[in-house]
Amino acid sequence: MSFRLSRRHALFATAGAVAVPARALAQAPVAANDVGRDLAAEVDAYVRRCLAAWPDQPALGVAVVADGRPLLTRGYGVRKKGEAARVDEHSLFAIASNTKNVTAAAMAMLVDEGKVKWDEPVRTYLPGFTLSDPVIGERITVRDTLSHRAGFGLGAGDLLFWPNSDRTRAEIMAAVPHVPIEDQFRARYHYCNLMFVVAGEIIAAVSGMAWEDFVQSRILDRVGMAETVPLMSRADPARSALPHGRIGPPLRYQGPMTLLSDTIAGIWDWDSAGAAGGFCTSPTDWAKWIGVCLAEGALPDGARLFSEASARELWRPNIIAGSSPGPTAELPGRSIASTYALGWQVQDYRGERMVTHGGGSPGGISATVLIPGRKVGFAIFSNAEESYLLRSLRSGVADILMGKGEGFDWIADSQRLEAEGREKSLAAAAEIDAKQAAGAAPSLPLNAYAGTWRDPWYGDIVIAERDGGLWLDFTRSLALKGPLEPYDGDTLRTRFPDKREEDTFVMFELEAGRPVRATMKGVSPDIDFSYDYKDLRLTRV
């Protein structure tokens, strides 16, 4: 159980997920006139209030669009904590999974051209494609790859590229058939980056261009997003809001705010998985993208990026992500249903449709929120992992733009929840240490656990003797290397020297007095879901 507002919530939660006082308001477009300028000032003032409440936050980027025109594009704060260089509306932020709606739009363009069909099997475009469940591998369609409904568990396969890995895109695709599937096909929603990598390879196979080249030439260049790069390795550090986070003690996401890297790619290099989360963009550029989305694919010059039919398809729900009985006196803003469409989350919110997506990377979180009935949308970019700050901004700005900004203090409420979560996390950290202090000794000498351990999809994890102890090496993950020490019986735990990363328990299974199999799970209750240690099934080589 995660006690903090995790990256999972940053990706999935929207303004409608938490109670706000209800107030009747007819749908009406927000005009980019004097009212619009007042809205921009109100949003700006609210952002500054949030920053004052979270003084450790280095920088934010904000974009607000109404009736196809930017009302506000602004940067706040500094690129790097402790230094004077400030961000502005042209600074680059890593937006992670907000990339997914661009990938979906790229696929929609190929559908418009008759080169792809939404409900055609993946193997039509990638011959020989299969999955660990061959029946699903045969039936999975293009639509499924963009809808989080294939049956994979949350974050399945993410260790192929999270944290930074040396794998190529081809190597990731070669591993896909071995990643375990835990649920039935199209039965439930499970967030899955891996299938967006597959979608990117469909785009490449059909278009004859790598995913990043397609989105650059067919989308970024046409929309005029000259500041945006589709891969974070291309982000100029001098123009970037650099990533920050809390790396303990005692656990990740606790302790002082710390610079994680002097480049975005230094902590977040998803070039091999770019279609799932590669973009770095600026408030100025993303405002242009919001405008295209609100215009259902139309460009300012009247030309079309994708058709109205494709625009409707991109926002048509494909799987229920969450549901509730609906609004109550205590929760008047609660949604009846939250769904996932194609690269977008769609839900009801106070009787209106809200189209959203979140993004979470090491050292940054972001949110895009569209309110189509009002022809208004906004985005928040952060270069730190202050999830409760993002919650306050996302919900508070939505309320302002919908005329519902009075009566609920998002800042105070988020600070209360943050304090409660911090207290629980600190207690959990103390309990972890206490269990280790009281734990039983390993049943075998430590050198008995040494060897090469292999997982069908991840590959090799090597445990070697070093300096009288053990050293664990995730051979394809650049930072997951460090001491392995006794915890409780035949459960050992890591102590990675790179404190930006998450430690793991290793649970060994013995036969005839010899370790033969092992599984893993994260040490911290706050661990990010993309450390999918739980999906590893290791056997001794």
Side-chain angles (χ1 to χ4, degrees):
M1 173 83 185
S2 179
F3 299 123
R4 71 183 183 93
L5 189 66
S6 66
R7 172 169 167 259
R8 179 176 184 176
H9 287 90
L11 287 169
F12 312 148
T14 62
V18 184
V20 291
R23 187 153 55 96
L25 184 67
Q27 278 188 270
V30 178
N33 49 29
D34 290 343
V35 175
R37 286 194 293 273
D38 290 340
L39 279 174
E42 191 174 349
V43 170
D44 177 71
Y46 182 73
V47 171
R48 295 179 189 277
R49 283 179 54 208
C50 288
L51 283 170
W54 278 270
D56 283 347
Q57 174 65 39
L60 291 174
V62 177
V64 181
V65 176
D67 277 351
R69 294 177 55 188
L71 295 185
L72 178 69
T73 54
R74 186 162 296 172
Y76 302 80
V78 295
R79 295 177 50 253
K80 180 178 179 181
K81 190 171 177 62
E83 296 190 0
R86 300 190 65 80
V87 299
D88 59 22
E89 67 272 25
H90 304 294
S91 297
L92 291 175
F93 290 80
I95 66 167
S97 287
N98 277 288
T99 306
K100 288 181 169 65
N101 57 74
V102 181
T103 296
M107 194 73 78
M109 294 165 66
L110 294 172
V111 171
D112 285 340
E113 294 168 9
K115 297 177 180 178
V116 172
K117 294 181 180 179
W118 291 118
D119 298 306
E120 192 73 13
V122 169
R123 60 176 53 186
T124 299
Y125 311 105
L126 300 177
F129 179 84
T130 190
L131 297 173
S132 58
D133 183 328
V135 175
I136 298 177
E138 182 178 349
R139 296 177 59 198
I140 187 171
T141 66
V142 173
R143 184 187 303 277
D144 295 319
T145 67
L146 300 170
S147 302
H148 303 305
R149 65 181 193 178
F152 290 96
L154 175 63
D158 281 2
L159 276 176
L160 295 168
F161 37 84
W162 170 303
N164 286 359
S165 168
D166 63 0
R167 280 187 171 86
T168 64
R169 207 167 288 171
E171 288 176 311
I172 292 173
M173 291 297 294
V176 168
H178 306 290
V179 178
I181 293 174
E182 72 171 34
D183 205 349
Q184 298 176 28
F185 187 42
R186 299 176 185 162
R188 275 163 289 276
Y189 170 88
H190 301 284
Y191 197 85
C192 184
N193 290 300
L194 193 60
M195 288 300 97
F196 272 80
V197 178
V198 172
E201 290 304 279
I202 295 171
I203 291 168
V206 171
S207 69
M209 292 186 281
W211 168 85
E212 59 269 26
D213 295 332
F214 184 92
V215 297
Q216 180 68 59
S217 62
R218 298 291 304 277
I219 295 179
L220 298 180
D221 292 348
R222 288 193 65 197
V223 178
M225 298 170 68
E227 296 171 353
T228 301
V229 293
L231 299 175
M232 60 283 291
S233 63
R234 301 178 184 178
D236 180 358
R239 296 178 48 229
S240 300
L242 299 176
H244 295 72
R246 303 180 188 275
I247 59 174
L251 295 174
R252 188 70 164 83
Y253 308 110
Q254 300 166 10
M257 184 66 72
T258 302
L259 177 72
L260 299 183
S261 175
D262 283 323
T263 67
I264 291 173
I267 189 68
W268 175 251
D269 186 354
W270 269 25
D271 280 11
S272 60
F279 264 42
C280 294
T281 192
S282 67
T284 295
D285 264 11
W286 202 246
K288 298 174 184 177
W289 179 244
I290 290 174
V292 171
C293 294
L294 289 171
E296 299 182 323
L299 298 171
D301 63 4
R304 280 205 159 269
L305 198 64
F306 48 86
S307 67
E308 290 184 54
S310 282
R312 291 192 294 271
E313 201 69 25
L314 290 172
W315 292 351
R316 184 169 72 84
N318 289 313
I319 190 77
I320 295 174
S323 63
S324 80
T328 66
E330 295 77 22
L331 299 169
R334 188 169 63 172
S335 299
I336 295 172
S338 174
T339 71
Y340 202 87
L342 295 169
W344 288 101
Q345 185 175 343
V346 181
Q347 70 174 72
D348 62 288
Y349 177 59
R350 304 191 187 199
E352 300 184 31
R353 181 172 57 163
M354 180 176 279
V355 180
T356 74
H357 214 286
S361 64
I365 48 180
S366 57
T368 302
V369 178
L370 310 179
I371 309 168
R374 296 172 180 269
K375 297 182 180 179
V376 64
F378 68 93
I380 308 290
F381 307 143
S382 165
N383 70 333
E385 301 161 345
E386 300 288 73
S387 298
Y388 287 95
L389 168 60
L390 183 73
R391 175 182 183 264
S392 296
L393 286 163
R394 182 181 52 214
S395 301
V397 172
D399 282 356
I400 289 170
L401 296 178
M402 297 179 76
K404 304 173 186 288
E406 299 177 359
F408 192 87
D409 190 339
W410 284 106
I411 295 174
D413 190 62
S414 294
Q415 288 181 321
R416 174 185 63 81
L417 293 173
E418 183 178 49
E420 292 174 357
R422 184 184 304 112
E423 182 178 354
K424 292 177 181 178
S425 291
L426 292 172
E431 184 179 353
I432 291 166
D433 290 342
K435 284 184 177 180
Q436 183 167 12
S443 61
L444 300 171
L446 284 180
N447 62 7
Y449 303 92
T452 298
W453 298 81
R454 184 165 296 160
D455 175 84
W457 62 269
Y458 179 83
D460 288 353
I461 293 173
V462 174
I463 300 175
E465 296 181 66
R466 181 184 291 192
D467 300 327
L470 295 177
W471 184 268
L472 183 144
D473 182 354
F474 280 75
T475 57
R476 306 304 301 273
S477 304
L478 306 181
L480 299 183
K481 307 174 191 298
L484 186 65
E485 63 187 36
Y487 184 77
D488 185 15
D490 292 312
T491 295
L492 308 185
R493 65 155 294 174
T494 63
R495 296 276 184 181
F496 292 128
D498 190 336
K499 297 304 179 184
R500 301 175 302 178
E501 309 302 346
E502 290 279 15
D503 286 310
T504 181
F505 292 119
V506 187
M507 293 84 72
F508 293 92
E509 182 181 340
L510 277 58
E511 286 184 0
R514 182 175 182 268
V516 293
R517 286 178 291 275
T519 56
M520 292 187 176
K521 69 175 182 178
V523 171
S524 171
D526 291 338
I527 192 169
D528 190 281
F529 69 79
S530 282
Y531 291 95
D532 58 319
Y533 300 133
K534 68 184 186 307
D535 288 326
L536 296 172
R537 300 293 181 267
L538 298 164
T539 56
R540 195 172 200 151
V541 177

